[in-house]
Structure formats: structure tokens, C-alpha cells
Amino acid sequence: DIQMTQSPSSLSASVGDRVSITCRASQSISSNLNWYQQKPGKAPKLLMYTASSLQSGVPSRFSGSGSGTDFTLTISNLQPEDFAAYYCQQTYITPWTFGQGTKVEIK
Amino acid sequence: EVQLVESGGGLVQPGGSLKLSCAASGFTFSGSSMHWVRQSSGKGLEWVGRIRSKTNNYATAYAASVKGRFTISRDDSENTAYLQMNSLKTEDTAMYYCTRHSMAGSSYRDNWGQGTLVTVSS
């Protein structure tokens, strides 16, 4: 199975900051990577697909990059509603696997 | 509007069985792969498995943690997917989500249900 390793596991930031979350795959997954945002008590929400494509309706302050094994989700100009958990997911091959998550907290 | 509605969760003893349902509407269910994802309280997301469409021979795939114990099936006439869970363990306690993902041209369809809670405890 492909292992997805996210870092950091948590971070503290202020409104207006730029933050980056990285995700590393244990083998190449091309660009078959999704990023999700999850708030407490809610189902995850897709932010990015195929590593760098912004899902419809998602603010442009979210961006994604990478291919192969190394990927990054960047949130520029962090807003109050962005404090949440973020997960990467590889869809290159089954079993699909998620990273362990990154919790973005208010500093 | 796409809707996925899970049901069938509840309390079950270790070693027991439970069958979850996912009723779908608002899209062509028969042509879609359907997935199950779970999340233990306060923990991360775990992909459980998926079933593909009839065109793809209803092929299934599972996470190693549930393989041999869980079975995913579907009834296209009822627009419903199922997750049969046998030999349940305490570590299977989680919120179970039914999900649908597909590429449509250059866009990506990604839908989740509200989840159904499964508690495995004596």
C-alpha cells in the first residue's frame, strides 16, 4: 500500500498568514492527489484535485503543487474560516490512502 | 442535487455483524463507483473500500484492515450501495461515510454523505 505522510501534524497561524502543508507519498503517484478540508462534526470538503486543480467554489487563496512523491497545499491570506483539519489523499491506486492530517489552529 | 444518505449504524458487540446502506440520488448511480470512508472519533480518515460500476464488472477493492471481513455491494435498481461488516472489532468503531468521486471532463465530482456511526462495544 502507498503510505502518505503529511507534515506538520499541526500548526498555529494568524489571520492573514501564508501557510503550507506538505504531503509525501511512499512511491510515485503522478498527480493523483486530492486535498480535503474538514471542520468538526462535518464531512470532508474537497479543495484540490489532481494535485493542483482548484475545486469549483473553493477560494483562490488555496493552491496546490507537486507531482510524483512530493506535494504542497498552500493557503495564502489565512481567513478565520480556514482553521480546520486538512488531509491529502492519493487516488493513484487502490487502496486509496489518506495522510494522517494537519490541524491548522489559531495562534 | 446530489444526495448520499447513509443508514444502518448502531451499537454492536465484538464479533458481530452490521450492514450499512447508502441511498443515492441526483446522479447516474449505475455509472458511478461508490466508496466507503471511515473516521474514528478524533482521528484521521481511512478509506475502507469501493465498488465500481457494472461496466467495470462491479470490481471491489478494500483496505487491508477490513479485507476478508467487510463486503461492498450495490443494487443499481434501488440506487443503493451497501457495506456488510462481519467479525467486527472494537477498532472498527467509527463514523462511516459513503462517497462518490469521478472525473467529468476537466472537472471532478466529489460527494459525501452525512455519515452513520458504528460503535463496537460489549
Side-chain angles (χ1 to χ4, degrees):
Chain A
D1 298 359
I2 297 176
Q3 309 303 317
M4 305 300 293
T5 304
Q6 269 182 252
S7 61
S9 55
S10 65
L11 65 90
S12 296
S14 302
V15 172
D17 284 354
R18 176 186 176 96
V19 301
S20 292
I21 299 168
T22 63
C23 183
R24 175 165 288 176
S26 60
Q27 67 183 73
S28 177
I29 58 170
S30 185
S31 296
N32 297 103
L33 186 96
N34 294 337
W35 286 101
Y36 288 91
Q37 176 194 68
Q38 188 181 30
K39 296 182 179 178
K42 300 291 188 181
K45 172 188 172 183
L46 182 69
L47 300 175
M48 313 291 305
Y49 61 95
T50 58
S52 59
S53 297
L54 189 68
Q55 177 68 335
S56 177
V58 174
S60 59
R61 62 181 180 273
F62 290 92
S63 63
S65 64
S67 67
T69 60
D70 294 311
F71 302 87
T72 301
L73 174 71
T74 299
I75 312 171
S76 58
N77 188 22
L78 198 66
Q79 295 298 297
E81 59 268 29
D82 300 336
F83 293 95
Y86 293 84
Y87 296 91
C88 62
Q89 179 198 40
Q90 68 82 15
T91 62
Y92 179 71
I93 193 170
T94 56
W96 289 6
T97 43
F98 289 92
Q100 78 278 18
T102 296
K103 191 171 183 180
V104 177
E105 299 173 310
I106 301 173
K107 183 182 285 184
Chain B
E1 179 195 4
V2 171
Q3 280 200 311
L4 299 172
V5 179
E6 302 93 337
S7 61
L11 175 63
V12 60
Q13 292 189 335
S17 297
L18 206 58
K19 187 172 185 177
L20 307 184
S21 300
C22 170
S25 60
F27 64 100
T28 305
F29 179 81
S30 61
S32 299
S33 293
M34 299 300 297
H35 300 244
W36 289 91
V37 173
R38 69 184 181 182
Q39 185 171 36
S40 302
S41 181
K43 303 294 185 182
L45 299 166
E46 181 183 16
W47 183 86
V48 173
R50 66 101 169 102
I51 185 167
R52 300 187 73 181
S53 65
K54 181 178 181 180
T55 303
N56 292 290
N57 298 315
Y58 300 124
T60 55
Y62 300 94
S65 59
V66 306
K67 199 168 187 178
R69 300 187 299 122
F70 289 12
T71 302
I72 299 174
S73 61
R74 63 191 297 160
D75 183 338
D76 289 344
S77 67
E78 294 289 334
N79 286 354
T80 301
Y82 302 97
L83 178 64
Q84 175 69 48
M85 303 184 294
N86 298 331
S87 302
L88 282 161
K89 306 175 182 180
T90 55
E91 52 264 41
D92 295 319
T93 294
M95 181 70 77
Y96 284 75
Y97 295 100
C98 169
T99 75
R100 168 235 189 184
H101 319 272
S102 67
M103 287 297 298
S106 60
S107 64
Y108 193 91
R109 296 167 177 158
D110 186 89
N111 305 102
W112 294 62
Q114 83 289 348
T116 188
L117 183 62
V118 172
T119 303
V120 184
S121 175
S122 55

